[in-house]
């Protein structure tokens, strides 16, 4: 597994950050502008990445005010898990977004940069939206 992480602190209580992330409908606002064909419910989302793939994801596990684990709802091009981990830090919430991907050596060379950019983009978008 190849792991990509991005960490931030948000000046909001943990329950507010958790409630936002626990609803997949909110995740479209975290995605880069290049994401197309977004369709979501509270628990699932599907979208396409131009010139790459169409993905269907589902929230696999919610641990209130701690973490949200997202896994593929349909067979992805490679094994994938996304995880939002939350921890209180005084009046702030520390957030770590992790992407675990099973990448072949070739895919690793092609996808590592974009996957790290995605992790960073999602955390920065979350911070901006909840500021």
């Amino acid at each position: 597994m190849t792991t990509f992480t991005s960490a931030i602190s948000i000046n909001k209580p943990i329950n507010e950050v958790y409630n936002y992330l626990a609803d997949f409908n909110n995740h479209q606002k975290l995605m880069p502008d290049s994401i197309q064909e977004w369709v979501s419910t509270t628990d699932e989302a599907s979208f396409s990445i131009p010139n790459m793939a169409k993905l269907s994801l589902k929230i696999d596990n919610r641990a209130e005010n701690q973490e949200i684990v997202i896994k593929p709802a349909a067979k992805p091009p490679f094994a994938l898990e996304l995880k939002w981990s939350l921890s209180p830090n005084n009046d702030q919430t520390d957030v770590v977004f992790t992407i675990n991907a099973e990448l072949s050596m070739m895919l690793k060379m092609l996808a590592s940069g974009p996957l790290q950019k995605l992790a960073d983009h999602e955390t920065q978008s979350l911070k901006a939206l909840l500021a």
Side-chain angles (χ1 to χ4, degrees), residues 28 30-36 50 121:
Q28 182 177 13
L30 305 178
M31 292 288 184
D33 292 337
S34 59
I35 296 299
Q36 298 176 343
H121 186 280

Side-chain angles (χ1 to χ4, degrees), residues 49-79:
I49 304 165
N51 305 321
M52 295 213 19
K54 185 165 177 80
L55 287 176
S56 292
L57 301 173
K58 66 180 179 187
I59 295 180
D60 188 60
N61 185 44
R62 290 180 180 92
E64 190 169 354
N65 296 338
Q66 293 175 28
E67 76 175 15
I68 295 158
V69 178
I70 301 166
K71 295 197 174 172
K75 184 157 176 49
F78 48 84

Side-chain angles (χ1 to χ4, degrees), residues 6-21 30 84-97 120-131:
S6 184
I8 55 165
S9 290
I10 298 176
N11 291 321
K12 293 284 184 189
I14 196 166
N15 65 321
E16 202 172 312
V17 178
Y18 174 83
N19 289 337
Y20 187 87
L21 290 171
L30 305 178
W84 291 94
S85 303
L86 310 176
S87 55
N89 182 359
N90 298 317
D91 294 339
Q92 297 184 45
T93 302
D94 290 337
V95 179
V96 178
F97 180 52
D120 294 338
H121 186 280
E122 289 210 26
T123 55
Q124 291 308 311
S125 295
L126 180 68
K127 188 171 187 169
L129 283 163
L130 297 182

